[in-house]
Coordinates of all heavy atoms in Angstrom, one line a residue:
A62 N -52.2 8.9 -16.7 CA -52.0 7.6 -17.4 C -52.8 7.4 -18.6 O -52.3 6.9 -19.6 CB -52.0 6.6 -16.3
V63 N -54.0 7.7 -18.5 CA -55.0 7.5 -19.6 C -54.5 8.3 -20.8 O -54.5 7.9 -21.9 CB -56.4 7.8 -19.1 CG1 -57.3 7.8 -20.2 CG2 -56.9 6.9 -18.0
H64 N -54.1 9.6 -20.6 CA -53.7 10.4 -21.6 C -52.4 9.9 -22.3 O -52.3 9.8 -23.6 CB -53.4 11.8 -21.2 CG -52.6 12.7 -22.1 ND1 -53.2 13.2 -23.3 CD2 -51.4 13.1 -22.1 CE1 -52.3 13.9 -23.9 NE2 -51.2 13.9 -23.2
L65 N -51.5 9.4 -21.4 CA -50.2 8.8 -22.1 C -50.5 7.5 -22.9 O -49.9 7.4 -23.9 CB -49.2 8.6 -20.9 CG -48.6 9.7 -20.3 CD1 -47.8 9.3 -19.0 CD2 -47.7 10.5 -21.2
I66 N -51.5 6.7 -22.4 CA -51.7 5.6 -23.2 C -52.5 6.0 -24.5 O -52.2 5.5 -25.5 CB -52.6 4.6 -22.4 CG1 -51.8 4.0 -21.2 CG2 -53.2 3.5 -23.3 CD1 -52.6 3.2 -20.3
G67 N -53.2 7.0 -24.4 CA -54.0 7.5 -25.6 C -53.1 8.1 -26.7 O -53.4 8.0 -27.9
I68 N -52.0 8.6 -26.3 CA -51.1 9.2 -27.3 C -49.9 8.2 -27.6 O -48.9 8.5 -28.3 CB -50.4 10.5 -26.7 CG1 -49.6 10.4 -25.5 CG2 -51.5 11.5 -26.7 CD1 -48.7 11.7 -25.1
G69 N -50.1 6.9 -27.2 CA -49.2 5.9 -27.7 C -47.8 5.7 -26.7 O -46.9 5.3 -27.2
R70 N -48.1 6.1 -25.5 CA -46.9 6.1 -24.5 C -47.3 5.1 -23.4 O -47.2 5.6 -22.3 CB -46.4 7.4 -24.2 CG -45.8 8.2 -25.4 CD -45.6 9.5 -25.0 NE -44.3 9.6 -24.1 CZ -43.8 10.7 -23.6 NH1 -44.5 11.8 -23.7 NH2 -42.8 10.7 -22.8
P71 N -47.5 3.9 -23.6 CA -47.9 3.0 -22.4 C -46.8 2.8 -21.4 O -47.1 2.8 -20.2 CB -48.3 1.7 -23.1 CG -47.8 1.7 -24.4 CD -47.6 3.1 -24.8
L72 N -45.6 2.7 -21.9 CA -44.5 2.6 -21.0 C -44.3 3.8 -20.1 O -44.1 3.7 -18.9 CB -43.1 2.3 -21.7 CG -41.8 2.1 -20.9 CD1 -42.0 0.9 -19.9 CD2 -40.6 2.0 -21.8
G73 N -44.6 5.0 -20.6 CA -44.5 6.2 -19.9 C -45.6 6.2 -18.9 O -45.4 6.7 -17.7
A74 N -46.8 5.7 -19.2 CA -47.8 5.7 -18.3 C -47.5 4.8 -17.1 O -47.7 5.1 -15.9 CB -49.2 5.2 -18.9
V75 N -46.9 3.7 -17.3 CA -46.5 2.8 -16.2 C -45.5 3.3 -15.4 O -45.5 3.2 -14.1 CB -46.2 1.3 -16.8 CG1 -45.5 0.4 -15.8 CG2 -47.4 0.7 -17.4
L76 N -44.4 3.9 -16.1 CA -43.3 4.5 -15.3 C -43.8 5.6 -14.5 O -43.3 5.8 -13.3 CB -42.2 4.9 -16.3 CG -41.4 3.8 -16.9 CD1 -40.5 4.4 -18.0 CD2 -40.6 3.0 -15.9
L77 N -44.7 6.5 -14.9 CA -45.1 7.6 -14.2 C -46.0 7.1 -13.0 O -45.9 7.7 -11.9 CB -46.1 8.5 -15.0 CG -46.7 9.7 -14.4 CD1 -45.6 10.6 -13.9 CD2 -47.6 10.3 -15.5
G78 N -46.7 6.0 -13.2 CA -47.5 5.4 -12.0 C -46.6 4.9 -11.0 O -46.8 5.1 -9.8
M79 N -45.6 4.2 -11.4 CA -44.6 3.7 -10.4 C -43.8 4.8 -9.7 O -43.6 4.6 -8.5 CB -43.6 2.7 -11.1 CG -44.3 1.4 -11.6 SD -43.3 0.4 -12.7 CE -41.9 0.1 -11.7
Q80 N -43.5 5.7 -10.4 CA -42.6 6.8 -9.8 C -43.6 7.7 -8.9 O -43.3 8.0 -7.8 CB -42.2 7.9 -10.8 CG -41.4 9.0 -10.2 CD -41.1 10.1 -11.2 OE1 -41.6 10.0 -12.4 NE2 -40.1 10.9 -10.9
S81 N -44.9 7.9 -9.3 CA -45.9 8.6 -8.4 C -46.2 7.9 -7.2 O -46.5 8.5 -6.2 CB -47.0 8.9 -9.2 OG -46.8 9.7 -10.4
A82 N -46.1 6.6 -7.1 CA -46.3 5.8 -6.0 C -45.3 6.1 -4.9 O -45.6 6.0 -3.7 CB -46.4 4.4 -6.2
L83 N -44.1 6.5 -5.3 CA -43.1 6.9 -4.4 C -43.1 8.3 -3.9 O -42.4 8.7 -3.0 CB -41.7 6.6 -5.0 CG -41.4 5.1 -5.4 CD1 -40.1 5.1 -6.3 CD2 -41.4 4.2 -4.2
L84 N -43.9 9.1 -4.6 CA -43.9 10.6 -4.2 C -45.0 10.9 -3.3 O -46.2 11.0 -3.6 CB -44.1 11.4 -5.4 CG -42.9 11.4 -6.4 CD1 -43.3 12.2 -7.7 CD2 -41.8 12.2 -5.8
G85 N -44.7 10.9 -1.9 CA -45.9 11.1 -1.0 C -45.8 12.4 -0.2 O -46.7 12.7 0.5
S86 N -44.7 13.1 -0.4 CA -44.5 14.4 0.2 C -43.7 15.3 -0.6 O -43.1 15.0 -1.6 CB -43.8 14.2 1.6 OG -42.4 13.8 1.3
M87 N -43.7 16.6 -0.2 CA -42.9 17.6 -1.0 C -41.3 17.4 -0.9 O -40.7 17.6 -1.8 CB -43.2 19.0 -0.5 CG -44.7 19.5 -0.8 SD -44.9 19.5 -2.6 CE -44.1 20.9 -3.1
T88 N -41.0 16.8 0.2 CA -39.5 16.4 0.3 C -39.2 15.3 -0.6 O -38.1 15.3 -1.2 CB -39.3 15.9 1.7 OG1 -39.7 16.9 2.7 CG2 -37.8 15.7 2.0
A89 N -40.1 14.4 -1.0 CA -39.8 13.4 -2.0 C -39.7 14.0 -3.4 O -38.8 13.5 -4.1 CB -40.9 12.4 -2.0
F90 N -40.2 15.1 -3.6 CA -39.9 15.8 -4.9 C -38.6 16.2 -5.0 O -37.9 16.1 -6.0 CB -40.9 17.0 -5.1 CG -42.2 16.6 -5.5 CD1 -43.3 16.7 -4.7 CD2 -42.5 16.3 -6.9 CE1 -44.6 16.4 -5.1 CE2 -43.8 16.0 -7.3 CZ -44.8 16.0 -6.4
M91 N -38.0 16.8 -3.9 CA -36.6 17.2 -4.0 C -35.7 16.1 -4.1 O -34.7 16.1 -4.8 CB -36.4 17.9 -2.5 CG -35.0 18.7 -2.6 SD -34.8 19.8 -1.1 CE -34.8 18.7 0.2
I92 N -36.0 14.9 -3.5 CA -35.2 13.7 -3.6 C -35.1 13.3 -5.1 O -34.1 12.9 -5.6 CB -35.6 12.6 -2.7 CG1 -35.3 13.0 -1.2 CG2 -35.0 11.3 -3.0 CD1 -36.0 12.1 -0.2
H93 N -36.4 13.3 -5.7 CA -36.5 12.8 -7.2 C -35.7 13.8 -8.0 O -35.1 13.4 -9.0 CB -37.9 12.7 -7.5 CG -38.6 11.4 -7.2 ND1 -38.8 10.4 -8.1 CD2 -38.9 11.0 -6.0 CE1 -39.3 9.4 -7.5 NE2 -39.4 9.6 -6.2
R94 N -35.8 15.1 -7.7 CA -35.0 16.1 -8.5 C -33.6 15.9 -8.4 O -32.7 16.0 -9.4 CB -35.4 17.4 -8.2 CG -36.7 17.9 -8.7 CD -37.0 19.4 -8.6 NE -36.9 19.9 -7.3 CZ -37.9 19.9 -6.4 NH1 -39.1 19.5 -6.8 NH2 -37.8 20.3 -5.2
C95 N -33.1 15.5 -7.1 CA -31.6 15.2 -7.0 C -31.2 14.0 -7.7 O -30.1 14.1 -8.5 CB -31.4 15.0 -5.5 SG -31.4 16.5 -4.5
I96 N -32.0 13.0 -7.7 CA -31.7 11.9 -8.6 C -31.7 12.2 -10.0 O -30.7 11.8 -10.7 CB -32.8 10.7 -8.4 CG1 -32.7 10.2 -6.9 CG2 -32.6 9.6 -9.3 CD1 -33.7 9.3 -6.5
A97 N -32.6 13.0 -10.5 CA -32.6 13.5 -11.9 C -31.3 14.3 -12.2 O -30.7 14.0 -13.3 CB -33.8 14.3 -12.2
V98 N -30.9 15.2 -11.4 CA -29.7 16.0 -11.7 C -28.5 15.1 -11.7 O -27.6 15.2 -12.5 CB -29.6 17.1 -10.6 CG1 -28.2 17.8 -10.7 CG2 -30.6 18.1 -10.8
L99 N -28.4 14.2 -10.7 CA -27.2 13.3 -10.7 C -27.1 12.4 -11.9 O -26.1 12.2 -12.5 CB -27.2 12.4 -9.5 CG -27.0 13.2 -8.1 CD1 -27.2 12.2 -6.9 CD2 -25.6 13.7 -8.0
T100 N -28.3 12.0 -12.4 CA -28.3 11.1 -13.6 C -27.9 12.0 -14.8 O -27.1 11.4 -15.6 CB -29.8 10.6 -13.7 OG1 -30.2 9.9 -12.7 CG2 -29.8 9.8 -15.1
I101 N -28.4 13.2 -14.9 CA -28.0 13.9 -16.1 C -26.6 14.3 -15.9 O -25.8 14.4 -17.0 CB -28.8 15.3 -16.1 CG1 -30.3 14.9 -16.4 CG2 -28.2 16.4 -17.0 CD1 -31.3 16.0 -16.3
A102 N -26.0 14.6 -14.7 CA -24.5 14.9 -14.6 C -23.7 13.6 -14.9 O -22.7 13.9 -15.6 CB -24.3 15.4 -13.1
F103 N -24.2 12.6 -14.5 CA -23.5 11.3 -14.9 C -23.4 11.1 -16.4 O -22.4 10.7 -17.0 CB -24.1 10.1 -14.1 CG -23.4 8.8 -14.5 CD1 -22.2 8.5 -14.0 CD2 -24.1 7.8 -15.3 CE1 -21.5 7.3 -14.4 CE2 -23.5 6.7 -15.6 CZ -22.1 6.4 -15.1

Side-chain angles (χ1 to χ4, degrees):
V63 174
H64 168 70
L65 288 172
I66 291 171
I68 63 171
R70 296 175 72 184
L72 179 61
V75 171
L76 290 173
L77 182 61
M79 291 169 59
Q80 179 187 15
S81 297
L83 301 173
L84 292 170
S86 67
M87 291 301 288
T88 305
F90 280 106
M91 191 168 66
I92 293 167
H93 276 256
R94 284 192 303 271
C95 287
I96 292 169
V98 168
L99 290 173
T100 303
I101 292 169
F103 179 70

